[in-house]
Amino acid sequence: CEVTENGKQYKEFYDTFQKREKNSKHYLISLDQIEELPPRDILEKSYVANKSGRARNKIPAIIELDEEFASLLGWFVAEGHFREGGTEKASYNDSAIASDNPQQREEIQRLFKQVFDYEASVNARQVSCCTSTIARLLSELCGNKADTKKVPEPIFNCEKPVREAFL
C-alpha cells in the first residue's frame, strides 16, 4: 500500500494497516505530516490527541457543531479561562468554567461528557477540564483570556437554534 503525497489513498492505507496491526485501534500520525485531510469515513473513526497519546487527552477528530457544543462554547466565552504552565520537561494546559450555581456546574459537566466524552471535575466554584487537547481547542476557538475572548467564527454560519444555544 502506498500513501500518496496528496493523501488520496488514505483509505487503502488505513484498511491495510487495520489488517496487519495487532493493536490497530492506536496509530499516531503527526498533524504536521498531513497535507490533506483523510476522507470523512476515516476521520469519523479517528481521534486527535496531544503528543502523549494518553486516552484522557484524545477527542474525536470530527465534532459536530450542534446545540450541545455551541452551549459549551458559550459557557467558555462567558465564564471560562485557559491556563498553561510548567517547565520544559513537564508542561500543562487546562481550562475551567466558573459558576457559583450548582445546577449550572452540573450542566457544564454534562456538556463536557456529551461533546467530548470527558468527565470534567467539579468543585464549589468551577468545572475543570484537565486535558490539554480540549483546553487548547477551547482556547483556539474562543480565546484564552478576558481581553482575547471572541465568538467562534463557525457560530456565525450555523443554524439559528445552534446560535441560540451559544447565547
Side-chain angles (χ1 to χ4, degrees), residues 72-80 97 141-143 149-152 166:
L72 184 61
L73 293 173
W75 278 109
F76 187 79
V77 169
E79 302 293 341
I97 299 173
L141 289 171
C142 305
K149 292 277 188 70
K150 64 184 185 247
V151 175
F166 174 81

Side-chain angles (χ1 to χ4, degrees), residues 41 63 77 93 107 125:
D41 63 327
I63 301 171
V77 169
N93 299 291
E107 173 63 6
R125 295 186 343 217

Side-chain angles (χ1 to χ4, degrees), residues 38-69:
R40 186 176 178 95
D41 63 327
I42 291 176
L43 289 175
E44 287 173 345
K45 301 174 195 171
S46 302
Y47 290 88
V48 175
N50 65 12
K51 287 182 191 176
S52 76
R54 294 188 317 209
R56 75 177 190 142
N57 285 321
K58 71 177 187 176
I59 59 174
I62 295 177
I63 301 171
E64 299 295 333
L65 182 53
D66 58 9
E67 292 174 30
E68 307 273 310
F69 190 25

Side-chain angles (χ1 to χ4, degrees), residues 109-126:
Q109 184 182 36
R110 184 192 71 75
L111 290 169
F112 272 108
K113 181 69 174 167
Q114 182 70 32
V115 174
F116 298 113
D117 194 25
Y118 176 78
E119 289 290 339
S121 59
V122 180
N123 65 28
R125 295 186 343 217
Q126 66 185 16

Side-chain angles (χ1 to χ4, degrees), residues 133-144:
T133 309
I134 296 171
R136 286 179 184 219
L137 175 66
L138 293 173
S139 173
E140 287 295 318
L141 289 171
C142 305
N144 58 8

